[in-house]
Amino acid sequence: MASEPNPIAERLIAAGAIEFGEFTLASGQKSPYYIDIKTAMTDPALLGEIARAIATREPFEMVAGVAVGGVPLAVATALVSGRRFAIVRSQVKDHGKANPVIGDVRGRQVLLVEDVTTSGGSALYGVDELRRAGARVDCVVTVVDREGGAEERLASRGVRLVPLVRAQELLNR
């Protein structure tokens, strides 16, 4: 029995979010395909659809994203849900306040959002920084999980990975 088509996967495919060739991922791994969620999210209708899916997936008090890919997701999810958002800097600045987390997350249940996960390194970085800032973080929602070990790596730290789309849903079309 065939599974129901995933509407977000269908929209990502239509937006040209998957490209084939030779690519080096943020994790350093080589891949014959690239999933470009950042460009796809420049379409406000698609970004809104993704944000609505995130906002209804898991309970949270506040949403956060790691710069750069997670920020538009966090902002859009905050707008859809009416909840506050935070930004996790990808690098700590050496000027100004130099805080790694922008937004008061202390004591709050924070949902971390990611555009794409492979090994989970960026998500773990975000979880660690949010926890250091006093947030409670036990879930990461990713638009696409490349199924490269992120789920297991996050689980080892007490964090569930909830993908809106799995890479196989994009590749098996």
Side-chain angles (χ1 to χ4, degrees), residues 59-63 84 86 101 103-111 127 129-138:
F60 63 97
E61 293 177 73
M62 192 170 191
V63 61
R84 298 180 69 88
V101 177
D104 184 6
V105 299
R106 272 175 289 149
R108 294 197 169 110
Q109 183 66 45
V110 177
L111 177 66
V127 166
E129 291 300 334
L130 288 164
R131 286 177 172 173
R132 271 194 275 283
R136 296 186 321 273
V137 186
D138 61 13

Side-chain angles (χ1 to χ4, degrees), residues 26 65-69 71 87-102 114 121-122 125-126 129 132:
V66 177
V68 142
V71 173
I87 298 169
V88 180
R89 295 181 196 274
S90 59
Q91 296 178 346
V92 177
K93 299 185 320 178
D94 61 359
H95 59 282
K97 288 183 165 183
N99 294 338
V101 177
I102 301 167
E114 282 277 307
S122 175
Y125 167 78
E129 291 300 334
R132 271 194 275 283

Side-chain angles (χ1 to χ4, degrees), residues 1 19 27 29-30 36 38 40 64 66 74 87 90 109-110 117 127 136 140 142 155 162 171:
M1 182 172 165
E19 299 174 37
S27 64
Q29 297 174 13
K30 302 289 185 193
D36 187 0
K38 291 171 190 69
V66 177
I87 298 169
S90 59
Q109 183 66 45
V110 177
T117 52
V127 166
R136 296 186 321 273
V140 173
T142 185
V162 178
L171 297 173

